[in-house]
Amino acid sequence: MKVKGKKVVTETESIVVLDAGMAPPGGIPVCCFGTFQIFR
Amino acid sequence: MLLRDVSNLQVNPLTASNRFQPKRGEPLPFFHFIMRLSRYIKIYPYAEKPGHFLLYSTRQSSVALLNEDTLKAAQEGTLSPASRETLHRLGFLIPHGHDERREMLALFDRADHGRPFNAVLVLNLDCNLDCTYCFEGGMKGNRYMTRETADLFIDFAEKNYLAEGKSVELDFYGGEPLLSVDLIRYVSGRLKPLVENRGGEYTFNLVTNGTLLTGELARELAPLGLRRAKVTIDGPQEIHDAFRPFVSGAGSFDAIVRNVKAVCDVIGIQFTGNYTRENYQEFPRLLDHILAEGITPDKLAMVMFAPVTGTMAEYGLPEYREGCDSTEEPWLIEASLFLRQEILKRGFYTPKMRPSSCMVEFSDNIIVGFDGTIYKCPAFIGRKEFAVGDLHTGIRDYHDSHKMDLWKNDECLDCAYLPICFGGCRFLKLLRDGAIDGVDCRKDYLDAALESYILQDLKLRTTAEKP
């Protein structure tokens, strides 16, 4: 087993973290005017 | 070509083997418990690397690339502890027994805690521009919020929202809010100390056409709390000036670009524009123009283009009836992906697809009309049936009028897209069908577009994530 940077690898398993994303809750932005206009 | 979606591959976690054994007497770390894949993920075969899969969590907007064996082990519950911990941290795996549906139902109760009180203040319904598609067109006129109404708002905010340590974020809106710049100074001058004396932070943003936002004004307002301005330019000069002329008929493009250039080092600029099916392919020329003007990616907080949204006959301008009112319009997917690619290619920041929700869901978000009427969404300004109260009498129950439970059904709660949709936009549903009698479902749109959005981000996003 080795954990190197963003890549977790075993003999058979491989995970490359491309984007850690955001941790909910509390970070949900408000969407205004539907899909189209992120108001802030 | 879009890849096959294999999100529905599931294995019953109760029957999955767990090859990891605890040492006697030691408590189990959380990732040793049986875990299963979250229902709020999408899995796409990754064409560039055969035998690999892209996982995207709609709940956390995380992305990971897994080989086939890892995905199979995740589905069967036989992952190594390190892999389990990683996939759990990213939101792809959840402990068996964790009720994600219940978590979603309670999300907004929890999300409200710690958020600032946010109010959109409609300072006037007047404007120095005469945009062809103005959705407030039928309401526009010499209508301004008075200082008395502003005082009522400050009292209302103090009484209902200014708890100890609570921050306040205002969005000054219009019409054109900078036609009421004295009121911005007044409200900020009164509210800022009220908030700061309770240990909170007072900030405000502008939703402005940009024509009056000079460098001098931005420098004056920044110490009062000005953080960001959302400015709109509708494409290259000849298109913008046709859509967004001054009342006099003269073009506004040069004035706005000049102002953006002058203020982008002082405050955050959200650079937006509205396109139509006929003109969206011209918008890259706008990006090249601002780059040539020295407005480089590091100087803008965000760039995003959106289709012109339609409006309802009694509220909009009678001559403009061509707006887009649905995510299902086929050209929209092509247009949004094309423009997003052009923005990212030039190094500008544009938002990722991530959890977001209608502001109606948040109890600490209100819209205050110029006359003191309170709404829950700026698109409802002037529509009496969607007023939820006023600064004199307070906010009444809007649970039924705003259909607060519309996404709280089995179909939505089981939908992988729920965290980035939450039933879509009530206004667009109203616009399309005349009533908010169901969700503004985005499944077809997201089925067609989400994978491409993710791939765009992986290939083109070079700038750091901006808040």
PDB file of all heavy atoms in Angstrom, chain B residues 198-214:
ATOM      1  N   ARG B 198     -21.900  44.034  17.227  1.00  0.00           N
ATOM      2  CA  ARG B 198     -22.332  42.706  17.711  1.00  0.00           C
ATOM      3  C   ARG B 198     -21.331  41.619  17.318  1.00  0.00           C
ATOM      4  O   ARG B 198     -21.612  40.436  17.451  1.00  0.00           O
ATOM      5  CB  ARG B 198     -23.711  42.371  17.152  1.00  0.00           C
ATOM      6  CG  ARG B 198     -24.843  43.203  17.723  1.00  0.00           C
ATOM      7  CD  ARG B 198     -26.121  42.952  16.929  1.00  0.00           C
ATOM      8  NE  ARG B 198     -27.312  43.506  17.573  1.00  0.00           N
ATOM      9  CZ  ARG B 198     -27.695  44.773  17.470  1.00  0.00           C
ATOM     10  NH1 ARG B 198     -26.976  45.628  16.774  1.00  0.00           N
ATOM     11  NH2 ARG B 198     -28.791  45.196  18.085  1.00  0.00           N
ATOM     12  N   GLY B 199     -20.217  42.018  16.762  1.00  0.00           N
ATOM     13  CA  GLY B 199     -19.184  41.038  16.420  1.00  0.00           C
ATOM     14  C   GLY B 199     -19.342  40.429  15.044  1.00  0.00           C
ATOM     15  O   GLY B 199     -18.643  39.473  14.688  1.00  0.00           O
ATOM     16  N   GLY B 200     -20.256  40.937  14.229  1.00  0.00           N
ATOM     17  CA  GLY B 200     -20.430  40.416  12.873  1.00  0.00           C
ATOM     18  C   GLY B 200     -19.693  41.268  11.856  1.00  0.00           C
ATOM     19  O   GLY B 200     -19.037  42.260  12.193  1.00  0.00           O
ATOM     20  N   GLU B 201     -19.804  40.867  10.597  1.00  0.00           N
ATOM     21  CA  GLU B 201     -19.167  41.621   9.514  1.00  0.00           C
ATOM     22  C   GLU B 201     -20.259  42.137   8.578  1.00  0.00           C
ATOM     23  O   GLU B 201     -21.205  41.415   8.253  1.00  0.00           O
ATOM     24  CB  GLU B 201     -18.210  40.714   8.731  1.00  0.00           C
ATOM     25  CG  GLU B 201     -17.420  41.461   7.673  1.00  0.00           C
ATOM     26  CD  GLU B 201     -16.573  40.536   6.790  1.00  0.00           C
ATOM     27  OE1 GLU B 201     -16.856  39.325   6.749  1.00  0.00           O
ATOM     28  OE2 GLU B 201     -15.652  41.043   6.141  1.00  0.00           O
ATOM     29  N   TYR B 202     -20.121  43.378   8.164  1.00  0.00           N
ATOM     30  CA  TYR B 202     -21.079  43.960   7.214  1.00  0.00           C
ATOM     31  C   TYR B 202     -20.406  44.118   5.860  1.00  0.00           C
ATOM     32  O   TYR B 202     -19.335  44.746   5.757  1.00  0.00           O
ATOM     33  CB  TYR B 202     -21.576  45.332   7.694  1.00  0.00           C
ATOM     34  CG  TYR B 202     -22.398  46.037   6.632  1.00  0.00           C
ATOM     35  CD1 TYR B 202     -23.740  45.734   6.442  1.00  0.00           C
ATOM     36  CD2 TYR B 202     -21.821  46.989   5.783  1.00  0.00           C
ATOM     37  CE1 TYR B 202     -24.496  46.350   5.455  1.00  0.00           C
ATOM     38  CE2 TYR B 202     -22.556  47.614   4.793  1.00  0.00           C
ATOM     39  CZ  TYR B 202     -23.887  47.295   4.637  1.00  0.00           C
ATOM     40  OH  TYR B 202     -24.627  47.893   3.646  1.00  0.00           O
ATOM     41  N   THR B 203     -20.998  43.522   4.840  1.00  0.00           N
ATOM     42  CA  THR B 203     -20.491  43.694   3.471  1.00  0.00           C
ATOM     43  C   THR B 203     -21.672  43.910   2.534  1.00  0.00           C
ATOM     44  O   THR B 203     -22.815  43.571   2.874  1.00  0.00           O
ATOM     45  CB  THR B 203     -19.700  42.468   2.982  1.00  0.00           C
ATOM     46  OG1 THR B 203     -20.547  41.316   3.071  1.00  0.00           O
ATOM     47  CG2 THR B 203     -18.440  42.240   3.792  1.00  0.00           C
ATOM     48  N   PHE B 204     -21.391  44.476   1.382  1.00  0.00           N
ATOM     49  CA  PHE B 204     -22.446  44.568   0.380  1.00  0.00           C
ATOM     50  C   PHE B 204     -21.894  44.422  -1.021  1.00  0.00           C
ATOM     51  O   PHE B 204     -20.693  44.614  -1.279  1.00  0.00           O
ATOM     52  CB  PHE B 204     -23.264  45.865   0.528  1.00  0.00           C
ATOM     53  CG  PHE B 204     -22.541  47.133   0.131  1.00  0.00           C
ATOM     54  CD1 PHE B 204     -22.557  47.586  -1.184  1.00  0.00           C
ATOM     55  CD2 PHE B 204     -21.876  47.894   1.082  1.00  0.00           C
ATOM     56  CE1 PHE B 204     -21.923  48.764  -1.553  1.00  0.00           C
ATOM     57  CE2 PHE B 204     -21.227  49.079   0.724  1.00  0.00           C
ATOM     58  CZ  PHE B 204     -21.250  49.514  -0.595  1.00  0.00           C
ATOM     59  N   ASN B 205     -22.798  44.022  -1.917  1.00  0.00           N
ATOM     60  CA  ASN B 205     -22.470  43.826  -3.329  1.00  0.00           C
ATOM     61  C   ASN B 205     -23.439  44.650  -4.169  1.00  0.00           C
ATOM     62  O   ASN B 205     -24.511  45.036  -3.696  1.00  0.00           O
ATOM     63  CB  ASN B 205     -22.601  42.347  -3.707  1.00  0.00           C
ATOM     64  CG  ASN B 205     -21.878  41.451  -2.729  1.00  0.00           C
ATOM     65  OD1 ASN B 205     -20.695  41.620  -2.485  1.00  0.00           O
ATOM     66  ND2 ASN B 205     -22.597  40.508  -2.142  1.00  0.00           N
ATOM     67  N   LEU B 206     -23.052  44.871  -5.405  1.00  0.00           N
ATOM     68  CA  LEU B 206     -23.915  45.608  -6.331  1.00  0.00           C
ATOM     69  C   LEU B 206     -24.274  44.717  -7.510  1.00  0.00           C
ATOM     70  O   LEU B 206     -23.411  43.986  -8.011  1.00  0.00           O
ATOM     71  CB  LEU B 206     -23.182  46.845  -6.869  1.00  0.00           C
ATOM     72  CG  LEU B 206     -22.708  47.880  -5.854  1.00  0.00           C
ATOM     73  CD1 LEU B 206     -21.747  48.876  -6.531  1.00  0.00           C
ATOM     74  CD2 LEU B 206     -23.902  48.622  -5.266  1.00  0.00           C
ATOM     75  N   VAL B 207     -25.512  44.777  -7.943  1.00  0.00           N
ATOM     76  CA  VAL B 207     -25.900  44.191  -9.228  1.00  0.00           C
ATOM     77  C   VAL B 207     -26.171  45.396 -10.125  1.00  0.00           C
ATOM     78  O   VAL B 207     -27.222  46.024 -10.039  1.00  0.00           O
ATOM     79  CB  VAL B 207     -27.149  43.307  -9.101  1.00  0.00           C
ATOM     80  CG1 VAL B 207     -27.487  42.679 -10.454  1.00  0.00           C
ATOM     81  CG2 VAL B 207     -26.933  42.227  -8.062  1.00  0.00           C
ATOM     82  N   THR B 208     -25.187  45.737 -10.930  1.00  0.00           N
ATOM     83  CA  THR B 208     -25.210  47.030 -11.608  1.00  0.00           C
ATOM     84  C   THR B 208     -24.932  46.867 -13.096  1.00  0.00           C
ATOM     85  O   THR B 208     -24.291  45.901 -13.511  1.00  0.00           O
ATOM     86  CB  THR B 208     -24.144  47.970 -10.985  1.00  0.00           C
ATOM     87  OG1 THR B 208     -24.045  49.156 -11.765  1.00  0.00           O
ATOM     88  CG2 THR B 208     -22.773  47.320 -10.913  1.00  0.00           C
ATOM     89  N   ASN B 209     -25.418  47.819 -13.877  1.00  0.00           N
ATOM     90  CA  ASN B 209     -25.084  47.762 -15.299  1.00  0.00           C
ATOM     91  C   ASN B 209     -23.658  48.263 -15.561  1.00  0.00           C
ATOM     92  O   ASN B 209     -23.156  48.139 -16.677  1.00  0.00           O
ATOM     93  CB  ASN B 209     -26.112  48.523 -16.148  1.00  0.00           C
ATOM     94  CG  ASN B 209     -26.178  50.012 -15.819  1.00  0.00           C
ATOM     95  OD1 ASN B 209     -25.182  50.654 -15.541  1.00  0.00           O
ATOM     96  ND2 ASN B 209     -27.387  50.569 -15.871  1.00  0.00           N
ATOM     97  N   GLY B 210     -23.030  48.821 -14.556  1.00  0.00           N
ATOM     98  CA  GLY B 210     -21.612  49.173 -14.662  1.00  0.00           C
ATOM     99  C   GLY B 210     -21.326  50.554 -15.228  1.00  0.00           C
ATOM    100  O   GLY B 210     -20.181  51.018 -15.168  1.00  0.00           O
ATOM    101  N   THR B 211     -22.333  51.235 -15.723  1.00  0.00           N
ATOM    102  CA  THR B 211     -22.058  52.517 -16.382  1.00  0.00           C
ATOM    103  C   THR B 211     -21.687  53.616 -15.385  1.00  0.00           C
ATOM    104  O   THR B 211     -21.025  54.592 -15.756  1.00  0.00           O
ATOM    105  CB  THR B 211     -23.289  52.997 -17.187  1.00  0.00           C
ATOM    106  OG1 THR B 211     -24.410  53.099 -16.310  1.00  0.00           O
ATOM    107  CG2 THR B 211     -23.609  52.024 -18.320  1.00  0.00           C
ATOM    108  N   LEU B 212     -22.128  53.481 -14.144  1.00  0.00           N
ATOM    109  CA  LEU B 212     -21.874  54.532 -13.144  1.00  0.00           C
ATOM    110  C   LEU B 212     -20.802  54.121 -12.126  1.00  0.00           C
ATOM    111  O   LEU B 212     -20.499  54.867 -11.203  1.00  0.00           O
ATOM    112  CB  LEU B 212     -23.185  54.863 -12.407  1.00  0.00           C
ATOM    113  CG  LEU B 212     -24.344  55.326 -13.299  1.00  0.00           C
ATOM    114  CD1 LEU B 212     -25.651  55.385 -12.521  1.00  0.00           C
ATOM    115  CD2 LEU B 212     -24.037  56.697 -13.909  1.00  0.00           C
ATOM    116  N   LEU B 213     -20.272  52.929 -12.297  1.00  0.00           N
ATOM    117  CA  LEU B 213     -19.331  52.379 -11.314  1.00  0.00           C
ATOM    118  C   LEU B 213     -17.908  52.822 -11.652  1.00  0.00           C
ATOM    119  O   LEU B 213     -17.102  52.071 -12.184  1.00  0.00           O
ATOM    120  CB  LEU B 213     -19.430  50.843 -11.300  1.00  0.00           C
ATOM    121  CG  LEU B 213     -18.603  50.111 -10.245  1.00  0.00           C
ATOM    122  CD1 LEU B 213     -19.021  50.497  -8.835  1.00  0.00           C
ATOM    123  CD2 LEU B 213     -18.719  48.610 -10.451  1.00  0.00           C
ATOM    124  N   THR B 214     -17.591  54.044 -11.306  1.00  0.00           N
ATOM    125  CA  THR B 214     -16.256  54.565 -11.608  1.00  0.00           C
ATOM    126  C   THR B 214     -15.248  54.100 -10.561  1.00  0.00           C
ATOM    127  O   THR B 214     -15.627  53.652  -9.468  1.00  0.00           O
ATOM    128  CB  THR B 214     -16.278  56.103 -11.604  1.00  0.00           C
ATOM    129  OG1 THR B 214     -16.645  56.533 -10.277  1.00  0.00           O
ATOM    130  CG2 THR B 214     -17.275  56.644 -12.622  1.00  0.00           C
TER     131      THR B 214
END
